[in-house]
Short mmCIF file of all heavy atoms in Angstrom, two decimals:
data_model
loop_
_atom_site.label_atom_id
_atom_site.label_comp_id
_atom_site.label_asym_id
_atom_site.label_seq_id
_atom_site.Cartn_x
_atom_site.Cartn_y
_atom_site.Cartn_z
N MET A 1 63.35 318.03 44.50
CA MET A 1 63.29 316.82 43.71
C MET A 1 64.03 315.74 44.51
O MET A 1 65.09 315.97 45.05
CB MET A 1 63.94 317.09 42.38
CG MET A 1 63.95 315.90 41.49
SD MET A 1 64.47 316.12 39.80
CE MET A 1 65.03 317.73 39.63
N GLY A 2 63.46 314.58 44.55
CA GLY A 2 64.00 313.49 45.33
C GLY A 2 64.90 312.57 44.53
O GLY A 2 65.25 312.83 43.38
N LEU A 3 65.26 311.48 45.15
CA LEU A 3 66.14 310.50 44.53
C LEU A 3 65.54 309.90 43.29
O LEU A 3 66.18 309.73 42.26
CB LEU A 3 66.48 309.43 45.56
CG LEU A 3 67.41 308.34 45.08
CD1 LEU A 3 68.78 308.89 44.76
CD2 LEU A 3 67.51 307.25 46.09
N ILE A 4 64.25 309.53 43.33
CA ILE A 4 63.60 308.91 42.20
C ILE A 4 63.53 309.87 41.02
O ILE A 4 63.75 309.49 39.90
CB ILE A 4 62.20 308.43 42.61
CG1 ILE A 4 62.25 307.42 43.73
CG2 ILE A 4 61.45 307.84 41.40
CD1 ILE A 4 62.98 306.14 43.40
N GLY A 5 63.25 311.10 41.30
CA GLY A 5 63.21 312.14 40.23
C GLY A 5 64.55 312.30 39.55
O GLY A 5 64.63 312.48 38.35
N ASN A 6 65.64 312.20 40.33
CA ASN A 6 66.98 312.30 39.75
C ASN A 6 67.28 311.09 38.86
O ASN A 6 67.91 311.23 37.83
CB ASN A 6 68.03 312.41 40.85
CG ASN A 6 68.02 313.73 41.51
OD1 ASN A 6 67.58 314.72 40.93
ND2 ASN A 6 68.49 313.80 42.75
N LEU A 7 66.88 309.91 39.28
CA LEU A 7 67.13 308.72 38.49
C LEU A 7 66.33 308.70 37.20
O LEU A 7 66.79 308.24 36.17
CB LEU A 7 66.83 307.44 39.30
CG LEU A 7 67.87 307.10 40.37
CD1 LEU A 7 67.38 305.89 41.14
CD2 LEU A 7 69.20 306.77 39.71
N LEU A 8 65.10 309.21 37.27
CA LEU A 8 64.27 309.22 36.08
C LEU A 8 64.53 310.42 35.17
O LEU A 8 64.05 310.45 34.06
CB LEU A 8 62.79 309.20 36.52
CG LEU A 8 62.33 307.94 37.27
CD1 LEU A 8 60.87 308.10 37.69
CD2 LEU A 8 62.54 306.69 36.44
N GLY A 9 65.26 311.37 35.65
CA GLY A 9 65.62 312.52 34.83
C GLY A 9 64.58 313.62 34.79
O GLY A 9 64.60 314.45 33.92
N LYS A 10 63.67 313.63 35.74
CA LYS A 10 62.65 314.69 35.75
C LYS A 10 63.30 315.99 36.24
O LYS A 10 64.04 315.98 37.18
CB LYS A 10 61.50 314.30 36.69
CG LYS A 10 60.72 313.12 36.18
CD LYS A 10 59.61 312.79 37.14
CE LYS A 10 58.87 311.56 36.67
NZ LYS A 10 57.83 311.17 37.63
N LYS A 11 62.99 317.09 35.59
CA LYS A 11 63.53 318.38 35.95
C LYS A 11 62.44 319.27 36.48
O LYS A 11 61.30 319.22 36.01
CB LYS A 11 64.21 319.05 34.75
CG LYS A 11 65.32 318.24 34.12
CD LYS A 11 66.52 318.20 35.04
CE LYS A 11 67.62 317.41 34.38
NZ LYS A 11 68.75 317.21 35.18
N ASP A 12 62.76 320.11 37.46
CA ASP A 12 61.83 321.10 37.98
C ASP A 12 61.92 322.34 37.12
O ASP A 12 62.94 322.97 37.05
CB ASP A 12 62.17 321.40 39.45
CG ASP A 12 61.12 322.24 40.12
OD1 ASP A 12 60.01 322.37 39.55
OD2 ASP A 12 61.40 322.78 41.20
N THR A 13 60.83 322.69 36.44
CA THR A 13 60.86 323.80 35.52
C THR A 13 60.30 325.08 36.09
O THR A 13 60.18 326.07 35.37
CB THR A 13 60.08 323.44 34.23
OG1 THR A 13 58.74 323.08 34.59
CG2 THR A 13 60.74 322.25 33.50
N SER A 14 59.94 325.08 37.37
CA SER A 14 59.40 326.32 37.96
C SER A 14 60.49 327.40 38.06
O SER A 14 61.62 327.12 38.26
CB SER A 14 58.79 326.01 39.34
OG SER A 14 59.80 325.63 40.23
N ALA A 15 60.05 328.65 37.91
CA ALA A 15 60.99 329.78 37.92
C ALA A 15 61.60 329.98 39.30
O ALA A 15 62.72 330.48 39.42
CB ALA A 15 60.29 331.04 37.45
N GLY A 16 60.91 329.59 40.33
CA GLY A 16 61.39 329.82 41.70
C GLY A 16 62.23 328.66 42.24
O GLY A 16 62.54 328.65 43.41
N ALA A 17 62.61 327.74 41.40
CA ALA A 17 63.38 326.58 41.88
C ALA A 17 64.79 327.03 42.26
O ALA A 17 65.46 327.73 41.48
CB ALA A 17 63.43 325.50 40.80
N LYS A 18 65.24 326.62 43.41
CA LYS A 18 66.59 326.98 43.89
C LYS A 18 67.49 325.79 43.71
O LYS A 18 67.10 324.65 43.86
CB LYS A 18 66.56 327.37 45.35
CG LYS A 18 65.72 328.59 45.62
CD LYS A 18 65.71 328.94 47.08
CE LYS A 18 64.86 330.15 47.37
NZ LYS A 18 64.80 330.45 48.78
N LYS A 19 68.78 326.02 43.42
CA LYS A 19 69.75 324.97 43.34
C LYS A 19 70.17 324.57 44.75
O LYS A 19 70.28 325.40 45.63
CB LYS A 19 70.99 325.42 42.58
CG LYS A 19 70.72 325.61 41.08
CD LYS A 19 72.02 325.92 40.38
CE LYS A 19 71.77 326.01 38.89
NZ LYS A 19 72.99 326.22 38.18
N SER A 20 70.35 323.27 44.95
CA SER A 20 70.75 322.85 46.29
C SER A 20 72.22 323.17 46.52
O SER A 20 72.99 323.31 45.57
CB SER A 20 70.53 321.31 46.43
OG SER A 20 71.39 320.64 45.56
N GLU A 21 72.60 323.31 47.76
CA GLU A 21 73.95 323.68 48.13
C GLU A 21 74.94 322.52 47.93
O GLU A 21 76.11 322.71 47.87
CB GLU A 21 74.00 324.16 49.57
CG GLU A 21 73.14 325.38 49.77
CD GLU A 21 72.97 325.71 51.24
OE1 GLU A 21 73.50 324.94 52.08
OE2 GLU A 21 72.33 326.68 51.54
N THR A 22 74.43 321.28 47.85
CA THR A 22 75.28 320.11 47.70
C THR A 22 75.63 319.79 46.23
O THR A 22 76.36 318.87 45.99
CB THR A 22 74.60 318.87 48.31
OG1 THR A 22 73.38 318.62 47.62
CG2 THR A 22 74.36 319.10 49.79
N GLU A 23 75.09 320.55 45.32
CA GLU A 23 75.39 320.31 43.89
C GLU A 23 76.85 320.63 43.60
O GLU A 23 77.37 321.63 44.08
CB GLU A 23 74.51 321.20 43.00
CG GLU A 23 73.23 320.57 42.58
CD GLU A 23 72.52 321.39 41.55
OE1 GLU A 23 73.19 322.00 40.70
OE2 GLU A 23 71.31 321.42 41.61
N PRO A 24 77.52 319.78 42.83
CA PRO A 24 78.88 320.10 42.45
C PRO A 24 78.91 321.29 41.49
O PRO A 24 77.94 321.54 40.79
CB PRO A 24 79.35 318.83 41.77
CG PRO A 24 78.13 318.14 41.33
CD PRO A 24 77.05 318.53 42.30
N PRO A 25 80.00 322.04 41.48
CA PRO A 25 80.06 323.16 40.58
C PRO A 25 80.05 322.69 39.11
O PRO A 25 80.34 321.51 38.82
CB PRO A 25 81.42 323.81 40.90
CG PRO A 25 82.20 322.74 41.57
CD PRO A 25 81.19 321.86 42.26
N ALA A 26 79.66 323.57 38.23
CA ALA A 26 79.59 323.22 36.80
C ALA A 26 80.98 322.79 36.32
O ALA A 26 81.95 323.47 36.49
CB ALA A 26 79.09 324.41 36.01
N MET A 27 81.00 321.60 35.71
CA MET A 27 82.28 321.05 35.26
C MET A 27 82.48 321.44 33.78
O MET A 27 81.55 321.67 33.04
CB MET A 27 82.27 319.53 35.39
CG MET A 27 82.15 319.06 36.81
SD MET A 27 82.11 317.28 36.84
CE MET A 27 81.83 317.01 38.56
N ALA A 28 83.74 321.50 33.40
CA ALA A 28 84.10 321.83 32.03
C ALA A 28 83.63 320.69 31.12
O ALA A 28 83.59 319.55 31.52
CB ALA A 28 85.58 322.05 31.90
N GLU A 29 83.34 321.00 29.89
CA GLU A 29 82.85 319.98 28.94
C GLU A 29 84.02 319.21 28.40
O GLU A 29 84.43 319.35 27.25
CB GLU A 29 82.07 320.67 27.81
CG GLU A 29 80.80 321.32 28.29
CD GLU A 29 79.97 321.84 27.13
OE1 GLU A 29 80.09 321.32 26.02
OE2 GLU A 29 79.20 322.78 27.38
N GLU A 30 84.58 318.33 29.20
CA GLU A 30 85.73 317.50 28.81
C GLU A 30 85.37 316.03 28.81
O GLU A 30 86.23 315.19 28.62
CB GLU A 30 86.89 317.74 29.77
CG GLU A 30 87.38 319.17 29.77
CD GLU A 30 88.44 319.37 30.79
OE1 GLU A 30 88.85 318.42 31.45
OE2 GLU A 30 88.91 320.53 30.92
N GLY A 31 84.11 315.67 29.08
CA GLY A 31 83.75 314.29 29.22
C GLY A 31 83.59 313.57 27.88
O GLY A 31 83.74 314.13 26.80
N LYS A 32 83.30 312.29 28.01
CA LYS A 32 83.15 311.43 26.84
C LYS A 32 81.87 311.75 26.07
O LYS A 32 81.84 311.73 24.86
CB LYS A 32 83.12 309.99 27.32
CG LYS A 32 83.09 308.93 26.25
CD LYS A 32 83.20 307.57 26.89
CE LYS A 32 83.12 306.48 25.85
NZ LYS A 32 83.17 305.14 26.47
N TYR A 33 80.80 312.10 26.81
CA TYR A 33 79.51 312.41 26.22
C TYR A 33 79.21 313.88 26.37
O TYR A 33 79.57 314.49 27.35
CB TYR A 33 78.40 311.59 26.90
CG TYR A 33 78.62 310.10 26.88
CD1 TYR A 33 79.07 309.42 28.01
CD2 TYR A 33 78.38 309.36 25.72
CE1 TYR A 33 79.26 308.06 27.98
CE2 TYR A 33 78.57 308.00 25.69
CZ TYR A 33 79.01 307.34 26.84
OH TYR A 33 79.20 306.00 26.80
N ASN A 34 78.50 314.43 25.45
CA ASN A 34 78.09 315.83 25.53
C ASN A 34 76.62 315.88 25.92
O ASN A 34 75.82 316.51 25.28
CB ASN A 34 78.32 316.54 24.19
CG ASN A 34 78.19 318.03 24.30
OD1 ASN A 34 78.22 318.57 25.41
ND2 ASN A 34 78.04 318.73 23.20
N GLU A 35 76.29 315.17 26.98
CA GLU A 35 74.95 315.08 27.52
C GLU A 35 74.90 315.66 28.94
O GLU A 35 75.91 315.60 29.64
CB GLU A 35 74.45 313.63 27.56
CG GLU A 35 74.36 312.98 26.21
CD GLU A 35 73.21 313.47 25.39
OE1 GLU A 35 72.17 313.87 25.96
OE2 GLU A 35 73.33 313.50 24.15
N PRO A 36 73.77 316.17 29.38
CA PRO A 36 73.67 316.67 30.76
C PRO A 36 73.67 315.51 31.76
O PRO A 36 73.13 314.44 31.50
CB PRO A 36 72.39 317.47 30.78
CG PRO A 36 71.59 316.89 29.68
CD PRO A 36 72.56 316.44 28.63
N CYS A 37 74.25 315.74 32.90
CA CYS A 37 74.29 314.73 33.98
C CYS A 37 72.89 314.61 34.57
O CYS A 37 72.16 315.60 34.73
CB CYS A 37 75.28 315.17 35.05
SG CYS A 37 75.38 314.09 36.46
N SER A 38 72.53 313.39 34.95
CA SER A 38 71.19 313.14 35.53
C SER A 38 71.07 313.70 36.94
O SER A 38 69.98 313.96 37.39
CB SER A 38 70.90 311.62 35.54
OG SER A 38 70.79 311.17 34.24
N LEU A 39 72.16 313.87 37.63
CA LEU A 39 72.10 314.37 39.00
C LEU A 39 72.25 315.90 39.06
O LEU A 39 71.38 316.59 39.59
CB LEU A 39 73.18 313.72 39.87
CG LEU A 39 73.23 314.13 41.32
CD1 LEU A 39 71.93 313.71 42.01
CD2 LEU A 39 74.41 313.49 42.03
N CYS A 40 73.32 316.42 38.50
CA CYS A 40 73.59 317.86 38.65
C CYS A 40 73.14 318.68 37.44
O CYS A 40 72.98 319.90 37.56
CB CYS A 40 75.05 318.08 38.95
SG CYS A 40 76.15 317.67 37.57
N GLY A 41 72.98 318.07 36.29
CA GLY A 41 72.50 318.78 35.11
C GLY A 41 73.60 319.44 34.28
O GLY A 41 73.35 320.04 33.24
N ALA A 42 74.87 319.37 34.74
CA ALA A 42 75.97 319.97 33.97
C ALA A 42 76.38 319.03 32.82
O ALA A 42 76.20 317.82 32.88
CB ALA A 42 77.16 320.18 34.91
N ALA A 43 76.92 319.61 31.77
CA ALA A 43 77.32 318.81 30.57
C ALA A 43 78.69 318.23 30.81
O ALA A 43 79.37 318.51 31.79
CB ALA A 43 77.30 319.72 29.36
N GLY A 44 79.12 317.41 29.89
CA GLY A 44 80.45 316.81 29.94
C GLY A 44 80.50 315.57 30.78
O GLY A 44 81.34 315.42 31.67
N THR A 45 79.61 314.61 30.55
CA THR A 45 79.55 313.39 31.37
C THR A 45 80.52 312.34 30.88
O THR A 45 80.89 312.30 29.71
CB THR A 45 78.13 312.84 31.36
OG1 THR A 45 77.72 312.66 30.01
CG2 THR A 45 77.17 313.75 32.04
N GLU A 46 80.94 311.44 31.81
CA GLU A 46 81.93 310.44 31.48
C GLU A 46 81.36 309.01 31.47
O GLU A 46 81.89 308.16 30.81
CB GLU A 46 83.09 310.45 32.53
CG GLU A 46 83.89 311.70 32.54
CD GLU A 46 83.46 312.65 33.64
OE1 GLU A 46 82.62 312.27 34.46
OE2 GLU A 46 83.93 313.78 33.63
N LYS A 47 80.30 308.76 32.21
CA LYS A 47 79.75 307.41 32.34
C LYS A 47 78.31 307.32 31.89
O LYS A 47 77.59 308.33 31.90
CB LYS A 47 79.77 306.97 33.82
CG LYS A 47 81.15 306.78 34.41
CD LYS A 47 81.66 305.44 34.09
CE LYS A 47 82.93 305.15 34.89
NZ LYS A 47 83.43 303.84 34.66
N LYS A 48 77.88 306.14 31.49
CA LYS A 48 76.49 305.88 31.17
C LYS A 48 76.06 304.71 32.05
O LYS A 48 76.65 303.63 31.96
CB LYS A 48 76.31 305.54 29.70
CG LYS A 48 74.87 305.49 29.28
CD LYS A 48 74.75 305.40 27.77
CE LYS A 48 73.28 305.39 27.40
NZ LYS A 48 73.12 305.20 25.98
N TRP A 49 75.10 304.93 32.94
CA TRP A 49 74.63 303.91 33.89
C TRP A 49 73.13 304.02 34.00
O TRP A 49 72.60 305.13 34.12
CB TRP A 49 75.31 304.12 35.23
CG TRP A 49 74.87 303.21 36.34
CD1 TRP A 49 75.04 301.86 36.37
CD2 TRP A 49 74.19 303.58 37.51
NE1 TRP A 49 74.51 301.37 37.53
CE2 TRP A 49 73.98 302.40 38.23
CE3 TRP A 49 73.72 304.76 38.03
CZ2 TRP A 49 73.31 302.39 39.47
CZ3 TRP A 49 73.08 304.77 39.23
CH2 TRP A 49 72.89 303.59 39.95
N ALA A 50 72.44 302.90 33.95
CA ALA A 50 70.98 302.85 34.06
C ALA A 50 70.33 303.69 32.96
O ALA A 50 69.26 304.29 33.20
CB ALA A 50 70.53 303.28 35.46
N GLY A 51 70.91 303.75 31.80
CA GLY A 51 70.33 304.47 30.68
C GLY A 51 70.48 305.99 30.79
O GLY A 51 69.89 306.71 29.99
N LYS A 52 71.20 306.47 31.76
CA LYS A 52 71.41 307.91 31.95
C LYS A 52 72.89 308.22 31.88
O LYS A 52 73.74 307.37 32.06
CB LYS A 52 70.86 308.35 33.32
CG LYS A 52 69.42 308.08 33.54
CD LYS A 52 68.59 308.93 32.64
CE LYS A 52 67.10 308.62 32.85
NZ LYS A 52 66.28 309.39 31.95
N HIS A 53 73.20 309.49 31.65
CA HIS A 53 74.59 309.95 31.60
C HIS A 53 74.97 310.58 32.95
O HIS A 53 74.15 311.32 33.52
CB HIS A 53 74.79 310.94 30.45
CG HIS A 53 74.50 310.34 29.12
ND1 HIS A 53 75.41 309.58 28.44
CD2 HIS A 53 73.41 310.41 28.33
CE1 HIS A 53 74.91 309.16 27.31
NE2 HIS A 53 73.67 309.67 27.22
N TRP A 54 76.18 310.33 33.43
CA TRP A 54 76.61 310.76 34.77
C TRP A 54 78.05 311.22 34.73
O TRP A 54 78.84 310.76 33.96
CB TRP A 54 76.53 309.59 35.73
CG TRP A 54 75.20 308.93 35.85
CD1 TRP A 54 74.71 307.97 35.00
CD2 TRP A 54 74.20 309.14 36.82
NE1 TRP A 54 73.47 307.59 35.41
CE2 TRP A 54 73.13 308.28 36.50
CE3 TRP A 54 74.10 309.99 37.91
CZ2 TRP A 54 71.97 308.24 37.27
CZ3 TRP A 54 72.96 309.94 38.67
CH2 TRP A 54 71.90 309.10 38.35
N HIS A 55 78.41 312.11 35.65
CA HIS A 55 79.79 312.41 35.96
C HIS A 55 80.28 311.30 36.91
O HIS A 55 79.49 310.68 37.59
CB HIS A 55 79.93 313.75 36.70
CG HIS A 55 79.56 314.92 35.86
ND1 HIS A 55 78.49 315.70 36.13
CD2 HIS A 55 80.14 315.40 34.74
CE1 HIS A 55 78.42 316.66 35.24
NE2 HIS A 55 79.40 316.50 34.37
N LYS A 56 81.57 311.07 36.95
CA LYS A 56 82.10 310.02 37.84
C LYS A 56 81.78 310.33 39.29
O LYS A 56 81.41 309.44 40.07
CB LYS A 56 83.61 309.87 37.65
CG LYS A 56 83.99 309.25 36.33
CD LYS A 56 85.50 309.12 36.18
CE LYS A 56 85.83 308.54 34.86
NZ LYS A 56 87.30 308.49 34.65
N LYS A 57 81.89 311.60 39.67
CA LYS A 57 81.64 312.00 41.03
C LYS A 57 80.15 311.83 41.37
O LYS A 57 79.80 311.36 42.46
CB LYS A 57 82.04 313.46 41.20
CG LYS A 57 81.90 314.00 42.60
CD LYS A 57 82.40 315.41 42.67
CE LYS A 57 82.33 315.97 44.07
NZ LYS A 57 82.82 317.33 44.15
N CYS A 58 79.28 312.16 40.44
CA CYS A 58 77.84 312.07 40.68
C CYS A 58 77.40 310.62 40.76
O CYS A 58 76.49 310.29 41.54
CB CYS A 58 77.09 312.82 39.58
SG CYS A 58 77.37 314.58 39.56
N ILE A 59 77.96 309.73 39.93
CA ILE A 59 77.55 308.35 39.97
C ILE A 59 77.97 307.67 41.28
O ILE A 59 77.24 306.85 41.83
CB ILE A 59 78.09 307.56 38.75
CG1 ILE A 59 77.32 306.24 38.57
CG2 ILE A 59 79.55 307.26 38.86
CD1 ILE A 59 77.57 305.58 37.25
N ARG A 60 79.14 308.05 41.82
CA ARG A 60 79.54 307.53 43.13
C ARG A 60 78.61 307.98 44.22
O ARG A 60 78.20 307.22 45.11
CB ARG A 60 80.98 307.99 43.44
CG ARG A 60 82.05 307.27 42.68
CD ARG A 60 83.41 307.56 43.25
NE ARG A 60 83.75 308.96 43.28
CZ ARG A 60 84.48 309.61 42.37
NH1 ARG A 60 84.97 308.95 41.34
NH2 ARG A 60 84.72 310.85 42.49
N ARG A 61 78.21 309.23 44.16
CA ARG A 61 77.27 309.79 45.15
C ARG A 61 75.90 309.08 45.08
O ARG A 61 75.32 308.73 46.11
CB ARG A 61 77.09 311.30 44.92
CG ARG A 61 76.22 311.93 45.96
CD ARG A 61 76.09 313.42 45.75
NE ARG A 61 77.40 314.03 45.91
CZ ARG A 61 77.72 315.22 45.40
NH1 ARG A 61 76.84 315.87 44.69
NH2 ARG A 61 78.91 315.71 45.61
N MET A 62 75.40 308.83 43.87
CA MET A 62 74.09 308.22 43.70
C MET A 62 74.12 306.73 44.10
O MET A 62 73.19 306.24 44.72
CB MET A 62 73.63 308.36 42.28
CG MET A 62 72.18 308.05 42.09
SD MET A 62 71.08 309.01 43.14
CE MET A 62 70.96 310.51 42.23
N LYS A 63 75.19 306.02 43.75
CA LYS A 63 75.29 304.62 44.15
C LYS A 63 75.39 304.51 45.66
O LYS A 63 74.82 303.57 46.25
CB LYS A 63 76.49 303.95 43.50
CG LYS A 63 76.26 303.61 42.05
CD LYS A 63 77.45 302.84 41.48
CE LYS A 63 77.18 302.41 40.06
NZ LYS A 63 78.32 301.66 39.48
N HIS A 64 76.08 305.41 46.32
CA HIS A 64 76.19 305.42 47.78
C HIS A 64 74.80 305.64 48.41
O HIS A 64 74.42 305.00 49.38
CB HIS A 64 77.16 306.46 48.26
CG HIS A 64 77.32 306.53 49.74
ND1 HIS A 64 78.02 305.57 50.43
CD2 HIS A 64 76.88 307.40 50.64
CE1 HIS A 64 77.99 305.88 51.71
NE2 HIS A 64 77.29 306.99 51.88
N ALA A 65 74.03 306.53 47.85
CA ALA A 65 72.70 306.80 48.35
C ALA A 65 71.77 305.63 48.13
O ALA A 65 70.93 305.30 48.95
CB ALA A 65 72.12 308.06 47.68
N ALA A 66 71.93 304.91 46.99
CA ALA A 66 71.10 303.78 46.69
C ALA A 66 71.37 302.59 47.64
O ALA A 66 70.48 301.83 47.98
CB ALA A 66 71.30 303.35 45.24
N LYS A 67 72.65 302.46 48.06
CA LYS A 67 72.99 301.39 49.01
C LYS A 67 72.26 301.58 50.32
O LYS A 67 71.86 300.62 50.98
CB LYS A 67 74.49 301.37 49.26
CG LYS A 67 75.27 300.72 48.16
CD LYS A 67 76.75 300.73 48.52
CE LYS A 67 77.57 300.19 47.37
NZ LYS A 67 79.01 300.24 47.69
N GLY A 68 72.06 302.81 50.72
CA GLY A 68 71.36 303.08 51.98
C GLY A 68 69.89 302.78 51.93
O GLY A 68 69.22 302.63 52.93
N MET A 69 69.34 302.62 50.72
CA MET A 69 67.92 302.34 50.57
C MET A 69 67.62 300.85 50.68
O MET A 69 66.49 300.44 50.87
CB MET A 69 67.41 302.86 49.23
CG MET A 69 67.52 304.35 49.08
SD MET A 69 67.02 304.87 47.47
CE MET A 69 65.31 305.26 47.83
N LEU A 70 68.64 300.02 50.52
CA LEU A 70 68.41 298.57 50.53
C LEU A 70 68.42 298.02 51.95
O LEU A 70 68.96 298.43 52.83
CB LEU A 70 69.48 297.85 49.70
CG LEU A 70 69.40 298.18 48.23
CD1 LEU A 70 70.57 297.51 47.53
CD2 LEU A 70 68.11 297.70 47.64
#
């Protein structure tokens, strides 16, 4: 799944889908929202940006990747 799929929240539902090695480990549910993160899919998100819920670490990673596209 690419960058656009992560921003739009599309999930790969195939049984053979592998998790990428760059995914952060599952975080404890201590966040402000009890919604899954748009990037890693773990619950316990802290921020809401672009209509999606994010962990602070994941939003920094996605904003950095978006800067490279401009």
